[in-house]
Amino acid sequence: MGCKSAMKTGLLCSQWGVLVVLLSLWLPQSFSQQTTSPPPQQKNKLKFRLAGYPRKHNEGRIEVFYNEEWGTICDDDFSTENAHVLCRHLGFISATGWTHSAKYGKGTGKIWLDNVQCRGSEKSITDCKSQGWGNSDCTHDEDAGVVCKDERLPGFVESNVIEQVEENRVEEMRLRPVVSSAKKRMPITEGIVEVKYKDSWAQICDDGWTPKNSRVICGMFGFPQERKANKNFYKQIKKRAAKTKGKIIGSGNREKSKPKSNPKSKLNEDSGSGTRLFTEKQQNKYRLHSVACTGNEVHLSVCPLQFYKANATRACEGGMPAVVSCVPGPQFSLGNGQKKKTKSTFRVRLKGGAKIGEGRVEVLKDNEWGTVCDDRWNLLSASVVCRELGFGSAKEALTGARMGQGMGPVHMNEVQCSGQEKSIWNCPYKNVTSEDCQHVEDASVKCNTPYMGYKNSVRIVGGRTTYEGRVEFKKGSKWGIICSEGWTTKEAMVVCRQLGLGYSLHAITETWYWDGSNVTEMVMSGVKCTGNEMSLSYCQHHGSNINCKKTGTRFAAGVICSETASDLILNAPLVQQTVYIEDRPLHMLYCAAEENCLSSSAAKANWPYGHRRLLRFSSQIHNIGRADFRPKAGRHSWLWHECHGHYHSMDIFTHYDILTLNGSKVAEGHKASFCLEDVECQEGIAKRYECANFGEQGITVGCWDLYRHDIDCQWIDITDIKPGNYIFQVVINPNFEVAESDFTNNAMKCNCKYDGHRIWFHNCHIGDAFSEEAEKRFEQYPGQNNKIS
């Protein structure tokens, strides 16, 4: 019966009609919300990563973390639009391509998504059409991959890890010393291995424990090698703990039992001297057992192992907690945190890193340092480098010149270490041709390093961010400020490194605006660092005799730190190619004299008659760092030079020197930075700095500035030097006015022979480009190789 046929049911029908309309509006919206996107709390748990090999940091098999589990995406209906959305999830601006059929290897676990169809503009993969989470008829032979454009979204912070260890099962570990005095010595090299479990610490059963397991543990804690631990010592502690029912053994225990007569026993020695021994106040809690590492793993969580069940009552019966003893690397076993001046025999080094144990990998071949190409670069090869240098295993294997680009040759490509090699030179690798690799593909590492407790003795306070502030130093139990007299970039570099904040952007000598604490007493003055120290306490200073003219808090030392820094380097071959001599009339040198670009004897010349002999050359200065090189002074303080008609943003930008073979200076010149700008850049990099119209000055990363041989002051006045063999030297940023990630490559040297009329340059190279042996030969060069026709 219709509503129109019965008047008595009219009210009921009208009410039913309203209900139908409301349901029609509500139900589709309700169902659509449930089927097109996960609940908000689930969306927050989505994570994305790239995996597989061989690959680079911006490409790989795409994996999604959903419902507490990692899984892959099937390549059915996959498209570039899908890749765009996924690359943005990963922090890249877009995709350049995608791959099918598990090009980067087959994944494991779930295949979370299938038949994904995006338009490319979606903010999340959850906004794209698909079969739904976990609904797929694919196998891992169909895992999709993406290739992202190597350009980051603004503000996206990512460490560019080529391989990342999953630590979901064993998230946090520690090495707990059993002798209390060992806790005061850094680093802690021996103790019981413990894992974090439910807000407490649990042990690992040592049943079947091998040196290979110890090697992995030591690598995680920053040590290159393991050594055999004295298990008898720990067994005696266990027995004593059982007898005393968990009490602390030592001078605090009134039970004076006579120790066994073994003068060499570490236990007796510690007990007799009143040193307290840590024992378990309750029965050991075991979490892991049957650990079976191969020794090459970078983390315990990737070793085969088993977990004890929560209700296990007889855990580790007959065994004891696993104990590990490690051998520290040379730089951590000295006890002074300062590099000992010993003859280096390493054929590998790290350059450009902010912290110790990280940097661009460089290797020595035929007495010349060069880089390693990142093709097939992985954690196994990176760990071999780390251990060779006295660190632990690798935390990260970085690609794409993430620690800056090197200069000179690329010595290695496709390095494939097994992990057991003593040196990277023992690993299989391919020689490099110019077509294979460029420096934009330089490989880098971040190594595990021992905890040294350096952060406990210094802090910065009062700044706008955690990267800036007034420096306060802890002397004994008292915090105090540091005198800013003589406070330079080198000292600030040490503070930033000690706090793990990267490089020093600025060394501040007036900090009244950072008065963020009640600390007013000065505890350190006369600080002088080389810049390589791991802690400020290892720098030279006045000790307890504070000597500071300005002792108020206004003049306390401060720092501004930065995760990145510039790195300037001179094109040495270009200098050698462009050098020549010019006799320039004095009447053309008035402006140069005004800017002190001539030797002192020029003041006594018969102006405007006569001439000066000038050694001319071109300087091409590259920024190979990770931040733009900017003048320290703002444009408001640049100096205008009327004669040349330009501004000087830095008083001294480079030093030019002619040295005798024993290092004595016989001629010098300098170049003020009247115009720091981007003359040329690498492909794909845009110029940012231009001097015209009082523009911003600087050198962009990947660009270079060029001072041509024919501009004023681009010379050394050699009018007064005698014929002979010399060393020609150029030093960029000589006063360390602007922070750089590496100051050791700021100098360039050439062998120089001058016969009074002509000049020859040979062996021009960056200061740290040669081996120590080759550098010594260079400095002793007598000039016999210069054949004058």
Side-chain angles (χ1 to χ4, degrees):
M1 180 177 65
C3 287
K4 290 182 181 178
S5 63
M7 292 296 294
K8 63 180 180 180
T9 59
L11 180 61
L12 178 63
C13 286
S14 63
Q15 290 175 338
W16 176 252
V18 171
L19 181 61
V20 169
V21 170
L22 289 174
L23 284 171
S24 66
L25 292 172
W26 176 76
L27 283 173
Q29 291 181 352
S30 176
F31 285 128
S32 65
Q33 287 174 353
Q34 291 177 5
T35 57
T36 59
S37 62
Q41 63 267 26
Q42 179 60 57
K43 187 176 287 188
N44 293 335
K45 292 182 181 181
L46 282 181
K47 298 178 187 176
F48 299 85
R49 70 180 181 187
L50 294 173
Y53 62 92
R55 67 182 187 87
K56 295 184 179 179
H57 64 278
N58 58 326
E59 62 178 319
R61 181 177 64 249
I62 184 70
E63 296 191 349
V64 188
F65 188 71
Y66 174 82
N67 200 23
E68 302 299 319
E69 186 177 351
W70 284 101
T72 62
I73 298 177
C74 182
D75 61 10
D76 290 351
D77 292 334
F78 209 85
S79 65
T80 303
E81 287 72 24
N82 296 355
H84 283 315
V85 176
L86 291 166
C87 283
R88 287 196 294 272
H89 273 303
L90 294 161
F92 298 97
I93 63 169
S94 62
T96 59
W98 62 278
T99 65
H100 58 86
S101 304
K103 177 186 174 182
Y104 299 103
K106 294 189 288 187
T108 58
K110 296 276 190 180
I111 299 176
W112 279 124
L113 293 171
D114 190 6
N115 298 112
V116 179
Q117 298 178 45
C118 303
R119 295 185 305 275
S121 59
E122 291 88 349
K123 292 184 178 180
S124 171
I125 196 72
T126 58
D127 299 328
C128 303
K129 294 180 181 179
S130 72
Q131 297 279 25
W133 291 97
N135 296 325
S136 172
D137 58 357
C138 299
T139 67
H140 283 294
D141 291 313
E142 301 170 84
D143 285 342
V146 295
V147 181
C148 302
K149 186 176 181 180
D150 192 8
E151 188 175 336
R152 286 288 175 197
L153 290 170
F156 190 90
V157 178
E158 200 266 339
S159 59
N160 296 292
V161 185
I162 193 70
E163 287 185 42
Q164 190 167 6
V165 174
E166 285 308 309
E167 301 178 19
N168 294 331
R169 295 187 297 168
V170 184
E171 294 184 357
E172 190 176 345
M173 299 180 62
R174 72 178 182 183
L175 202 57
R176 180 173 62 86
V178 296
V179 182
S180 59
S181 60
K183 292 190 83 174
K184 300 176 183 178
R185 295 193 298 266
M186 291 294 171
I188 294 172
T189 59
E190 183 176 313
I192 295 172
V193 184
E194 296 187 328
V195 297
K196 195 70 175 288
Y197 179 60
K198 292 185 178 179
D199 298 323
S200 63
W201 292 95
Q203 292 76 45
I204 304 174
C205 182
D206 73 342
D207 187 24
W209 190 265
T210 68
K212 292 179 180 179
N213 297 342
S214 297
R215 173 180 163 84
V216 173
I217 298 295
C218 289
M220 289 174 59
F221 288 112
F223 303 111
Q225 290 177 279
E226 79 289 352
R227 60 187 164 201
K228 190 174 181 180
N230 183 1
K231 290 188 69 173
N232 290 330
F233 166 62
Y234 292 91
K235 286 178 180 177
Q236 291 181 53
I237 292 177
K238 186 180 179 182
K239 290 178 182 178
R240 287 201 170 204
K243 289 180 181 179
T244 55
K245 297 181 181 179
K247 293 180 181 179
I248 295 177
I249 304 172
S251 59
N253 189 354
R254 296 184 179 273
E255 295 179 18
K256 296 186 179 180
S257 58
K258 188 176 181 180
K260 295 181 181 179
S261 57
N262 182 0
K264 294 184 180 180
S265 169
K266 186 176 179 183
L267 175 66
N268 293 336
E269 179 186 321
D270 286 325
S271 298
S273 62
T275 303
R276 290 188 173 186
L277 301 177
F278 287 96
T279 60
E280 293 296 318
K281 293 183 179 179
Q282 55 189 2
Q283 188 177 5
N284 286 319
K285 295 183 296 183
Y286 290 96
R287 174 70 175 148
L288 304 176
H289 67 99
S290 302
V291 180
C293 302
T294 65
N296 300 331
E297 295 89 350
V298 295
H299 197 279
L300 184 70
S301 64
V302 295
C303 296
L305 50 81
Q306 294 184 35
F307 289 80
Y308 281 110
K309 294 181 180 178
N311 58 355
T313 56
R314 307 183 107 185
C316 201
E317 193 170 20
M320 58 179 283
V323 174
V324 166
S325 183
C326 306
V327 180
Q331 58 271 63
F332 300 104
S333 58
L334 298 175
N336 62 4
Q338 214 166 4
K339 291 182 180 178
K340 200 173 182 179
K341 290 188 177 180
T342 56
K343 186 176 180 181
S344 175
T345 57
F346 290 128
R347 294 180 62 199
V348 61
R349 68 183 183 185
L350 302 181
K351 300 286 283 183
K355 304 169 188 173
I356 189 159
E358 67 177 39
R360 180 177 61 253
V361 179
E362 295 190 353
V363 291
L364 185 65
K365 183 178 181 181
D366 298 329
N367 286 319
E368 186 176 10
W369 289 99
T371 60
V372 176
C373 190
D374 62 11
D375 292 346
R376 293 184 177 269
W377 185 247
N378 60 20
L379 281 171
L380 286 176
S381 299
S383 291
V384 170
V385 170
C386 291
R387 290 182 188 271
E388 182 178 359
L389 291 171
F391 306 114
S393 51
K395 285 190 294 188
E396 299 176 20
L398 307 178
T399 64
R402 282 307 184 268
M403 293 290 178
Q405 296 182 30
M407 294 285 279
V410 181
H411 284 322
M412 289 180 165
N413 187 22
E414 296 192 24
V415 180
Q416 297 182 66
C417 301
S418 68
Q420 291 290 346
E421 295 87 351
K422 296 292 184 184
S423 170
I424 189 174
W425 286 103
N426 302 135
C427 303
Y429 69 92
K430 291 183 180 179
N431 291 316
V432 180
T433 64
S434 57
E435 293 79 22
D436 289 336
C437 287
Q438 305 296 326
H439 284 296
V440 293
E441 301 171 89
D442 285 342
S444 308
V445 297
K446 287 186 178 181
C447 306
N448 288 313
T449 57
Y451 174 75
M452 299 296 289
Y454 291 136
K455 291 183 181 181
N456 300 332
S457 61
V458 70
R459 66 188 183 191
I460 54 177
V461 298
R464 296 163 296 178
T465 70
T466 55
Y467 283 80
E468 66 178 32
R470 187 178 71 189
V471 180
E472 294 182 356
F473 185 77
K474 191 174 185 181
K475 194 170 184 180
S477 59
K478 180 173 59 178
W479 288 95
I481 58 177
I482 299 173
C483 178
S484 65
E485 291 173 15
W487 186 256
T488 69
T489 300
K490 288 186 175 182
E491 289 73 39
M493 279 284 189
V494 175
V495 171
C496 293
R497 180 185 301 116
Q498 187 173 349
L499 291 170
L501 297 177
Y503 310 95
S504 163
L505 198 59
H506 295 295
I508 309 299
T509 54
E510 285 194 38
T511 55
W512 53 269
Y513 44 85
W514 282 339
D515 192 12
S517 71
N518 297 322
V519 175
T520 58
E521 185 178 352
M522 190 164 286
V523 296
M524 186 179 278
S525 65
V527 183
K528 189 173 183 180
C529 306
T530 65
N532 296 322
E533 294 87 351
M534 290 192 281
S535 170
L536 201 62
S537 59
Y538 302 133
C539 300
Q540 295 180 15
H541 55 88
H542 290 156
S544 57
N545 300 317
I546 305 300
N547 183 7
C548 187
K549 294 178 183 177
K550 300 176 181 178
T551 56
T553 56
R554 172 176 180 174
F555 299 101
V559 295
I560 299 177
C561 303
S562 173
E563 288 287 351
T564 58
S566 60
D567 187 14
L568 298 188
I569 195 167
L570 190 67
N571 184 339
L574 184 65
V575 173
Q576 187 167 317
Q577 294 163 12
T578 57
V579 65
Y580 65 95
I581 288 176
E582 179 194 8
D583 290 333
R584 193 164 183 80
L586 282 173
H587 68 82
M588 300 176 69
L589 293 171
Y590 279 105
C591 282
E594 184 181 307
E595 295 189 14
N596 297 317
C597 294
L598 302 175
S599 63
S600 57
S601 65
K604 303 174 184 177
N606 185 23
W607 291 77
Y609 309 105
H611 67 273
R612 304 298 293 181
R613 176 156 289 183
L614 307 177
L615 175 66
R616 284 186 172 275
F617 54 92
S618 294
S619 293
Q620 189 182 84
I621 299 164
H622 294 247
N623 182 0
I624 63 171
R626 290 187 288 158
D628 294 354
F629 184 92
R630 300 295 311 278
K632 182 179 180 181
R635 67 166 72 193
H636 64 280
S637 60
W638 294 353
L639 295 176
W640 173 259
H641 282 253
E642 187 67 37
C643 190
H644 279 136
H646 56 236
Y647 284 94
H648 285 190
S649 57
M650 292 174 66
D651 288 337
I652 303 292
F653 181 53
T654 51
H655 276 168
Y656 307 143
D657 299 311
I658 299 286
L659 310 173
T660 62
L661 299 184
N662 63 9
S664 302
K665 193 180 296 184
V666 294
E668 64 181 346
H670 78 271
K671 186 70 180 174
S673 64
F674 67 80
C675 179
L676 281 174
E677 66 178 356
D678 297 327
V679 175
E680 293 290 342
C681 297
Q682 294 175 1
E683 185 179 353
I685 298 177
K687 299 178 184 178
R688 295 182 183 175
Y689 304 105
E690 187 175 4
C691 297
N693 302 317
F694 197 42
E696 290 288 347
Q697 293 193 23
I699 306 177
T700 304
V701 175
C703 299
W704 57 89
D705 194 1
L706 177 65
Y707 288 90
R708 285 174 50 90
H709 57 82
D710 54 359
I711 65 174
D712 259 9
C713 297
Q714 187 58 34
W715 63 56
I716 297 181
D717 184 351
I718 61 170
T719 305
D720 304 322
I721 74 168
K722 299 175 181 179
N725 297 313
Y726 299 97
I727 292 175
F728 171 72
Q729 177 176 276
V730 177
V731 182
I732 309 169
N733 192 18
N735 300 329
F736 311 107
E737 283 188 41
V738 178
E740 295 186 50
S741 59
D742 186 3
F743 288 112
T744 62
N745 58 15
N746 282 28
M748 187 226 63
K749 295 180 179 180
C750 302
N751 286 133
C752 170
K753 184 175 179 66
Y754 176 51
D755 69 352
H757 306 283
R758 294 170 295 179
I759 200 159
W760 291 264
F761 275 13
H762 292 273
N763 298 326
C764 290
H765 66 283
I766 301 303
D768 65 346
F770 289 172
S771 66
E772 290 182 16
E773 182 183 351
E775 193 65 31
K776 286 179 180 177
R777 288 201 304 269
F778 169 86
E779 292 173 355
Q780 295 167 358
Y781 171 72
Q784 69 267 27
N785 291 333
N786 290 322
K787 297 179 181 179
I788 302 171
S789 56

